[in-house]
Structure formats: C-alpha cells, structure tokens
Amino acid sequence: MVFTELIFIPFLIVTHLAFLLVKKHQLLQVGVLLLASSVFYAWWDLRFFFLLLYTATADYYLGKWIHAAQTARTRKLLLLISLVSNLGVLGYFKYCNFFISSFNSLAHTLGLSTQLPILHVILPVGISFYTFQSLSYTLDVYKGELEPCRSWFKFITFVTAFPQLVAGPIVRARDLLYQLDTNLVSRSCSRGLFLIIYGAAKKIFLADTLGYYIVDPIFASPQNYSSLELLFGAYAYAFQIFCDFSGYSDMAIGLGQLFGLTFPLNFSFPYIASNPSEFWKRWHISLSTWLRDYLYIPLGGNKVSPLRNAYNLMIVMLLGGLWHGANWTFVVWGGLHGTYLIIHRFLVSRILFVAKIPRPITIFLFFNLVCLTWVFFRSQSIESAFHFLQRMTLMTTSFSNFSSSLVLLLVAGVLSHYLIEPRLFKISDRFANLHWSVKGICVYIFLVCLALFSEKGLAHKAFIYFQF
Amino acid sequence: MRKDFLHVCLVVLAFGLFSAGIESLTSLGKISVSDSKWRWIRKLSFPDTAQTYDYVFAGSSHIWQAVKPRNIETELGVKAINIGRNWDGKDADFYSLKNLLQNNHVKNVVLELYAEEAVGPHEYFPYIVDAEDLGGDIAQEGRKISLIDVLTLSSAFKHFINQSFQATADLVVRAPTAIINHLLGRLDCSTEACQKNDGSAGFYFDDPNLRQEPAFYEKWKDQRFELHFHEGRILEGSRAAFYVRKIKGLTDKYGAKLQFLYVPSYMGSPPGKNVVAFYRQFGPVLVPRLEPLYKIEYWTNSTHLFHEGSEVFTQNVIELLKHGPAASAYAGQL
C-alpha cells in the first residue's frame, strides 16, 4: 500500500476512528497501530511481512540478551549476530544479484568462463529502512544509551509503524519507543492533515509531472536533447526527487501526528546549502545522522588524522550511496558526495576568499554540483550517466522540446522549495486555526484536484524512495 | 482537535453525497471520463435526439481498427457505428453499450469475442461504472471472496476492495471534475489536441499516418500460419460471464439482437471451443476465415489490422452479416 493510493484513504479513516475509540487505553492504541501497520505492509505481500517480523523479533531478543550479558565479549558477539542478521537479510534481498552480476562482468572482462546464475529475488519493500531502524535499537542498547524494550508487542509496533515503515524517516528506537509507553494523544490532528495533503500535493502535482513530462523522456534518450535541455532535465530531477521524497516524509510526519507520534524532520530545504557539510544536515537527515552516529563516529569520525578522516568520510558516503540501491551509479553518487565533503573539509574551508563569496552564488554553485551527482543517481548505468554529461558539454542551446508550461512547472518546484518549505509550519498552524468546515472544503478541493490529475494516469506512480 | 478529523470527514462525505446526487441530474458527469474515446462514446450515448443504428460494433481497439463502419453502410445500406475503445474487458463493453442502447434505437449489437478474456476490471472501470450498478458489481466480486482471502489478503480480496473503493471515490468527486473539465473544454473530443492527449490507442478514423511497426515486421515476417483448434478457457463463473449476461439482459431489454464477432491477432488460431460454446448461449458467433487475413502488410502490429487489412476484414464481416453464422468459418469444428 502507498499513501497516494485511493485505498489508503479508507484505511486511514478506519484506523484513525479505531484509534480514537480506544483513546483511553494505551495498550489498545498500540494494538490498533500494530494491526493497521501489519495490514499496511501485508497488503503488498504477506510473505514478506513475516520477514519483517523475523527481523524485528530477532533484534528484540538480541537487545535483551545484550543488556543482560555479563561480559563484553558476549555483548560484542550478540551485537555481531544482530549486525549479521540484519545486514545479511538486507544483503541477500537487495545486493546478491548486484554482486553476482558484477562478478560475472569482472570474470568476463578477465576472460574467465565462470558465470554465476542470477537469482530471482524479490526486493521487500522498505527493507533498507526497517533494517536500519531495527539495528539502531541493538546498537543503542549495546552502547548503553538505551534500556531494552520490555514489550515485544511495543517493539514490533516501533519497527512496523506504518507512517514511516516503507520510506522513512528512519526513526531511532530512542525517539519512538518511549512514545509508545505513553498515552498517545493526537494533539496536532489538523497540522497532521495539512502535512499529509501538502506532501501528497508535492508528490503528485509536482514530482510526478516533472518526472513524466521532463525527466523520464530526457534520461531515456539524452541524445535527442540539447545541452540546455539536458541541464533543464537535471534541474528538474533535482526538484522531482526533492518533492517526491520530502513529500513522502511530510506525509509520514503528518500521519504520525494523527496518531500522537512525533517523527523527526527529514528535510530542511536542502537546496539552500552552500557546501556539502550543510547539505547533509538538510537532506535525508534521518539517514545522514544514522550514518554519522553508527558508522562515521565509531570509525573515528574527525578525531583522527586528516588522512583517516578523509577515508572515514569516503567510506560512509560510498556505503550511503550503496544503501540507496544495488547499482554502481549509486556508489558513484556517494563517492562524489564523499569527494565534495573531503574537498570542502580540507581545502575549501581553508581558502579565505571562498568565505567572501556571496552566499547566493555559493548556493547556486553547490546546487549545480549536487545536480551533477543526481545525473548518476537517476541514470540506469554509469555509461548512460557519462553519455548524458558528455552531451551537456557540447553547449548546444536549442530549447524546442519543452513548452513554457513545463518551465513554469519547474519554477513551481523551485518556489515550493525556497518559499513554502521555510514557512511550512507557520502555514500548517494557520490551517489548523481554520474552522473545521473550511478545512473540510480544502480537503474536498484537494480530492477533486487529485481526480483531475489521475486522468493523466499519474496519481498512482510509486514514490522514488519506495524502491530502496 | 480530535473532533476536527471527524468533522472534516463529515464535510467531505457531505460534498461527496451532494456530488453523487447532482451527477445524476446532468449528463456532464456521465461524459466526464478520463479518456477522449470514452467521452465520444458517452456523447453518442446521451444524444439530444435518439438516433437509430442498425449495427453497433463494440469491443476493444482490435475491433475499432478492424471494422470500417462506412464500408458496411455503403454495402448494406444501413447505419453503423464502431465504438471500440482501448483495452479489452466485458465490463467496459457493458458500460460502453448501456446508455447507448438506453437512449437510442439499436437493432444489432456486434460484440468482439476476445481470444483471452480479461480477469480483472478494465483500467477505466472506476470512471465508467454507474452508481446503480456499483452494488451489483461489488456483489459479483464479493461472491468469490472467502474468509481465507480476507486473512491472507489475497489478490482477489485486494481487487475487490480496490474496485469498490475506487468506483465510490470517483462518484464523490465526479460532479465538480465534470464541471471543471467542461469549463476547460476537455469534454469536446472533436479537436486533434483532445484526441492526441490521451492513451486511448486508436481515436483516429483510419489515420493515413499510421505505419506498420518495424519490430513487428522483423519478428513476424517469416512466420507461417498453422491452423489449430483448442479447447479454450471455461468462462462460466468468470468476470466475463457476469458481464456477458448483463449485456444480454441489456440487448433483450431494448430489443437489440446480440452477435459475437471474433477479431484475431496476427497468426491467431480460432477461438477455443469452450469459449464459442459459452457465447453461443447468448447469440450467434461469427468467425471469419483467418488465413486470408494473415498477410503481414495488413497489420500494424501483432494485434491490430489497418488500412487494407481492415478493408479485407470488413468485407469478411459484411459477408457474415449478410449470410449469418452459417457463413462462419470452421462451423463444424467449433
């Protein structure tokens, strides 16, 4: 099930009504959430719901045993089991064919006849998110930063909570478990509703149309477009992926608010970043902080020699790229960001005149560097990404393939990021203060717009990060 | 705060009921479908003055491209129209015929007989189902749902839930979207822009620019036709069976004669014996002689005739309409 499917509406209404009916019974509230989350995930495929249960149950018990372990060696061993279990599941379902095909390519290049068979493995939805989420629990218990959860019931609800299950934000155990111990009161129902509508609007009206009319045709056949049009396509993808992913995160946060759960912010208008360090404090915040706390800092972070620090940054970004998908393009994407971080940390920040460059210029320059990485992220292969970039260097300037209305569409995406995002919470407060009849009319108008848009067959396109 | 959510739901429900209510008072809602071909069919179905049609050809884009009604009109001195539209599905056939028969005088309905029947709903089902039929459709799907389906969230159960809600949700917003589509001029399907702006796969009257697909030619150029007879799927209890019975009820109610016409794919065999036996319960089954149709230049791709191919096929159809099912090919073998 996806948030923008029509079937999600009755699902949400029924779940929320059931949640309100049991508002005085904390355990029943958690039960309603767990049942709804189970149906939400199992709607896609019941078999993989059991895989999700296995992952969560294993970490629940491992967390208890880690806490109860007498020796450091036992604690380490149990943590290792958790890591192997989670990363093993993730590795098998997500990466085994990637490594097999990479091995086969390498063998072919070396003239070897060995060819491993490609396995037919279905990628479970949200596996990258829930394995990291569950791992955060055992890691925090191991570090002594979190007491083990005493209720399997609540732990499973933490891992499977449907608002953030399939595409984040990656909610840490320390941020959500304690909320399930309290009576869940939806204090910000209207704000939650606003975020849901706003997120859905960004995804359907902006992200999907940018993708359908601009990005997909350009990346499918870059040879048919001029350099200027390719640049336009790269910019369009930057805003498509922002609107798509942040739209989902907004909906997830809004849904959480409907059920009295507070999720962390996942995006903070990232395209105003003027350097890579700032960018990663604003883009997919839940992932970047997860990588920082559980990978970068344990590797030594920046409290080591400069060479080792650079190594740590690159490792984290390469693995962060690989997390996104089983393709070398994501590794290159991560590697580019790692390079930017290293250059920024060890060179740029030491060059005095850089600090004197007006911020709007550095924002624009860095935005273009980010768009360069998005070309790899979006392309099907490294070859096609290089082909795309090579055609951009031809400096051809015709712009006959796209109408002014599509340019306006991109402008709408830009305006939504630079003007609306910084004021989002003020706008949601204003919405919350409207009379309920006016809110109802706004929701109805949104549904009508959705129906008009669905005539183009766009309303049911999956979220981009759904595939991760 | 908690009541806000409930109040918002009530406001949306109120608007929805109002929308579903006024939708029945104006034909705007009935013609505001997300596809220009469907809108054209709907416009024919709600004419200012009832029209008389001797032959209505209905089905998918196969029959749309295969049958040229003007040729039939010239040869037989009758009035004929072809309301084939994208994708197959007896549910879509029923809804494309329902209001047409209700509001016009139709003497003969010639319905495409598909080699393979669609299992699920037509992709535009939520837009074309009427409020009065929704209950029956849901009940028909519901009869197949068991407790095991519910507990295991089977495909059948999910289809049933999706279909029920999607059709209901569309009724909730149909009136305002119809008004907006009317104001934006989207309901007028006579313009080229309208025709180009959808995926109905065949809203052109014998488009002279239509070319044969190179990939089709390369793949099929050396294939030879081999005549095979097979049993085919038993349709009783299927979605197709449900809707064929509804179509039969419709034609009986409005005094139209129902016939079935087999439109093959390139190099396709005759329809299965079980399929023919099923449809014969409801009307004559017309099967053209297939081998003369299988010249590669007659086909734009593996499923659609065009240009000269449509001329040849239509001539076949004229002979079948003149002489009845006795002229149908393979009569003793199906």
Side-chain angles (χ1 to χ4, degrees):
Chain A
M1 205 184 292
V2 185
F3 293 164
T4 47
E5 282 180 334
L6 278 175
I7 192 60
F8 183 71
I9 298 175
F11 167 83
L12 179 62
I13 292 172
V14 167
T15 304
H16 196 253
L17 286 175
F19 184 77
L20 293 177
L21 278 172
V22 299
K23 62 180 185 278
K24 290 189 177 143
H25 305 278
Q26 192 253 334
L27 211 58
L28 288 177
Q29 281 182 324
V30 174
V32 165
L33 264 180
L34 178 58
L35 181 62
S37 302
S38 307
V39 170
F40 180 85
Y41 194 84
W43 195 266
W44 168 67
D45 194 317
L46 182 64
R47 297 169 299 172
F48 291 102
F49 174 68
F50 293 110
L51 177 68
L52 169 59
L53 267 188
Y54 156 74
T55 303
T57 304
D59 282 336
Y60 169 74
Y61 283 105
L62 284 165
K64 286 170 92 75
W65 296 335
I66 288 171
H67 182 75
Q70 301 292 327
T71 64
R73 189 178 167 172
T74 310
R75 287 159 52 80
K76 238 182 210 170
L77 179 65
L78 290 166
L79 178 67
L80 188 65
I81 294 172
S82 174
L83 285 167
V84 166
S85 169
N86 281 291
L87 298 177
V89 163
L90 182 63
Y92 172 74
F93 283 99
K94 193 165 179 179
Y95 299 108
C96 71
N97 280 330
F98 168 65
F99 289 121
I100 288 171
S101 56
S102 299
F103 173 83
N104 288 343
S105 295
L106 182 64
H108 179 72
T109 306
L110 295 174
L112 300 172
S113 59
T114 315
Q115 291 286 302
L116 297 174
I118 298 287
L119 305 175
H120 296 289
V121 179
I122 299 172
L123 178 63
V125 161
I127 190 169
S128 303
F129 292 91
Y130 70 69
T131 48
F132 270 36
Q133 189 155 312
S134 195
L135 258 179
S136 76
Y137 169 74
T138 47
L139 287 164
D140 282 349
V141 171
Y142 174 81
K143 289 194 287 182
E145 292 175 4
L146 186 68
E147 289 287 314
C149 182
R150 296 188 197 290
S151 162
W152 174 87
F153 188 58
K154 285 183 186 169
F155 185 80
I156 299 300
T157 308
F158 147 66
V159 177
T160 63
F162 76 87
Q164 46 76 55
L165 173 59
V166 296
I170 302 170
V171 184
R172 313 267 189 102
R174 68 176 89 155
D175 294 329
L176 188 53
L177 276 174
Y178 80 89
Q179 295 185 57
L180 296 172
D181 284 331
T182 62
N183 194 257
L184 299 171
V185 178
S186 48
R187 295 184 183 86
S188 317
C189 219
S190 294
R191 286 182 190 81
L193 197 57
F194 174 80
L195 283 176
I196 292 166
I197 292 173
Y198 177 67
K202 264 198 303 193
K203 191 274 190 264
I204 295 167
F205 303 144
L206 287 176
D208 287 350
T209 43
L210 283 169
Y212 185 81
Y213 289 108
I214 303 172
V215 176
D216 292 348
I218 283 182
F219 277 85
S221 315
Q223 63 278 4
N224 295 338
Y225 299 93
S226 70
S227 306
L228 185 61
E229 287 167 336
L230 293 176
L231 181 66
F232 177 65
Y235 285 173
Y237 184 66
F239 287 97
Q240 179 199 357
I241 193 167
F242 168 72
C243 290
D244 189 284
F245 196 13
S246 69
Y248 189 97
S249 293
D250 289 340
M251 294 184 79
I253 293 168
L255 285 165
Q257 289 181 350
L258 284 184
F259 295 93
L261 298 172
T262 304
F263 294 145
L265 199 61
N266 213 15
F267 290 87
S268 180
F269 28 107
Y271 294 140
I272 67 161
S274 58
N275 60 69
S277 182
E278 185 185 357
F279 179 78
W280 282 102
K281 289 181 182 126
R282 294 176 175 277
W283 178 273
H284 202 176
I285 300 167
S286 63
L287 176 68
S288 61
T289 51
W290 195 101
L291 290 171
R292 179 197 66 199
D293 293 342
Y294 298 115
L295 190 57
Y296 181 64
I297 290 174
L299 283 175
N302 58 6
K303 306 233 185 301
V304 289
S305 67
L307 190 62
R308 179 63 197 231
N309 185 204
Y311 171 81
N312 292 341
L313 281 169
M314 186 55 81
I315 283 289
V316 169
M317 294 314 299
L318 286 174
L319 290 175
L322 193 60
W323 175 90
H324 281 84
N327 195 322
W328 290 109
T329 52
F330 298 112
V331 179
V332 171
W333 172 80
L336 281 172
H337 275 284
T339 306
Y340 293 165
L341 282 165
I342 292 168
I343 293 173
H344 176 258
R345 180 179 287 278
F346 295 109
L347 286 174
V348 171
S349 54
R350 292 174 189 196
I351 301 172
L352 288 175
F353 85 82
V354 169
K356 294 179 183 168
I357 299 174
R359 189 173 160 82
I361 294 177
T362 55
I363 289 173
F364 178 71
L365 287 173
F366 184 70
F367 173 73
N368 281 276
L369 288 174
V370 169
C371 287
L372 170 68
T373 70
W374 286 136
V375 170
F376 285 91
F377 195 90
R378 175 61 178 76
S379 298
Q380 297 298 320
S381 67
I382 293 179
E383 292 77 19
S384 53
F386 275 121
H387 176 59
F388 188 104
L389 294 169
Q390 182 265 329
R391 284 201 62 82
M392 279 179 75
T393 62
L394 298 178
M395 302 299 206
T396 48
T397 56
S398 73
F399 200 83
S400 53
N401 285 302
F402 299 105
S403 62
S404 52
S405 55
L406 291 178
V407 176
L408 283 175
L409 182 64
L410 178 57
V411 169
V414 172
L415 290 177
S416 113
H417 175 275
Y418 288 103
L419 292 184
I420 299 179
E421 293 288 319
R423 297 166 180 79
L424 194 58
F425 289 110
K426 269 192 196 163
I427 299 170
S428 70
D429 283 345
R430 291 234 173 128
F431 178 83
N433 290 330
L434 294 172
H435 191 264
W436 55 261
S437 58
V438 178
K439 285 180 216 169
I441 292 169
C442 291
V443 171
Y444 187 73
I445 291 172
F446 171 74
L447 291 174
V448 170
C449 294
L450 192 64
L452 287 168
F453 252 72
S454 72
E455 293 187 358
K456 294 292 178 200
L458 294 176
H460 306 302
K461 275 184 173 288
F463 289 91
I464 294 173
Y465 265 70
F466 202 64
Q467 62 188 309
F468 305 142
Chain B
M1 283 293 176
R2 281 193 299 277
K3 286 184 182 170
D4 260 7
F5 186 82
L6 293 172
H7 287 143
V8 164
C9 289
L10 283 172
V11 170
V12 172
L13 189 63
F15 270 95
L17 288 170
F18 179 68
S19 171
I22 64 168
E23 191 262 347
S24 62
L25 298 176
T26 165
S27 67
L28 266 186
K30 297 186 192 313
I31 61 175
S32 181
V33 184
S34 75
D35 178 280
S36 60
K37 176 72 75 64
W38 274 102
R39 289 198 286 274
W40 174 72
I41 294 169
R42 297 289 228 194
K43 279 194 161 184
L44 289 176
S45 303
F46 297 97
D48 294 327
T49 323
Q51 302 293 306
T52 300
Y53 299 109
D54 294 286
Y55 289 98
V56 171
F57 292 88
S60 71
S61 57
H62 295 194
I63 203 171
W64 167 258
Q65 287 196 214
V67 175
K68 294 191 168 192
R70 288 192 190 91
N71 292 20
I72 294 172
E73 288 182 333
T74 308
E75 275 276 334
L76 301 180
V78 295
K79 180 117 171 75
I81 54 168
N82 185 338
I83 60 167
R85 89 286 118 177
N86 67 344
W87 301 113
D88 54 356
K90 284 288 173 288
D91 52 349
D93 292 343
F94 171 75
Y95 288 107
S96 68
L97 286 166
K98 183 185 170 192
N99 299 118
L100 187 79
L101 265 67
Q102 191 174 41
N103 301 318
N104 296 278
H105 307 297
V106 176
K107 293 179 185 171
N108 291 279
V109 171
V110 183
L111 194 58
E112 181 180 345
L113 192 157
Y114 308 121
E116 283 292 324
E117 291 288 344
V119 175
H122 188 273
E123 72 174 316
Y124 290 140
F125 181 80
Y127 303 100
I128 58 177
V129 66
D130 289 332
E132 63 193 8
D133 286 301
L134 187 61
D137 290 314
I138 292 170
Q140 189 266 339
E141 291 292 333
R143 268 200 294 276
K144 295 188 215 134
I145 305 300
S146 65
L147 182 62
I148 295 294
D149 288 303
V150 176
L151 292 174
T152 58
L153 297 177
S154 68
S155 300
F157 175 66
K158 286 191 281 190
H159 260 129
F160 166 62
I161 295 291
N162 276 325
Q163 177 193 332
S164 308
F165 188 72
Q166 281 186 354
T168 311
D170 180 66
L171 289 172
V172 165
V173 297
R174 192 174 278 186
T177 54
I179 292 166
I180 292 169
N181 279 327
H182 174 63
L183 293 172
L184 291 174
R186 278 182 182 178
L187 301 188
D188 176 8
C189 303
S190 57
T191 64
E192 200 176 303
C194 164
Q195 292 174 26
K196 274 186 184 172
N197 206 25
D198 67 46
S200 63
F203 189 63
Y204 33 73
F205 294 98
D206 200 15
D207 182 0
N209 295 319
L210 190 60
R211 296 280 178 263
Q212 190 177 65
E213 293 173 15
F216 159 68
Y217 178 80
E218 285 306 312
K219 184 179 174 186
W220 290 90
K221 63 185 179 187
D222 298 320
Q223 300 283 340
R224 295 287 171 265
F225 174 58
E226 287 178 21
L227 183 63
H228 292 296
F229 294 94
H230 55 102
E231 295 302 313
R233 212 156 70 89
I234 293 176
L235 296 177
E236 205 56 69
S238 68
R239 187 178 177 80
F242 176 74
Y243 279 103
V244 165
R245 290 199 156 84
K246 284 187 86 155
I247 293 171
K248 179 63 179 167
L250 199 65
T251 52
D252 285 348
K253 183 178 175 183
Y254 295 108
K257 188 181 167 193
L258 179 62
Q259 301 178 73
F260 300 95
L261 173 65
Y262 179 57
V263 183
S265 295
Y266 187 59
M267 297 291 177
S269 287
K273 294 174 190 177
N274 291 322
V275 174
V276 173
F278 173 78
Y279 282 109
R280 269 208 191 105
Q281 300 174 73
F282 308 104
V285 175
L286 310 173
V287 181
R289 190 152 290 279
L290 300 175
E291 194 162 0
L293 292 171
Y294 295 155
K295 289 185 182 176
I296 199 163
E297 60 267 27
Y298 287 173
W299 297 76
T300 174
N301 55 39
S302 62
T303 49
H304 295 88
L305 289 155
F306 76 145
H307 302 331
E308 194 181 347
S310 306
E311 301 275 345
V312 169
F313 185 85
T314 305
Q315 193 54 43
N316 250 284
V317 172
I318 290 169
E319 294 307 315
L320 287 168
L321 292 177
K322 269 186 195 170
H323 305 294
S328 203
Y330 322 110
Q333 290 145 303
L334 287 175

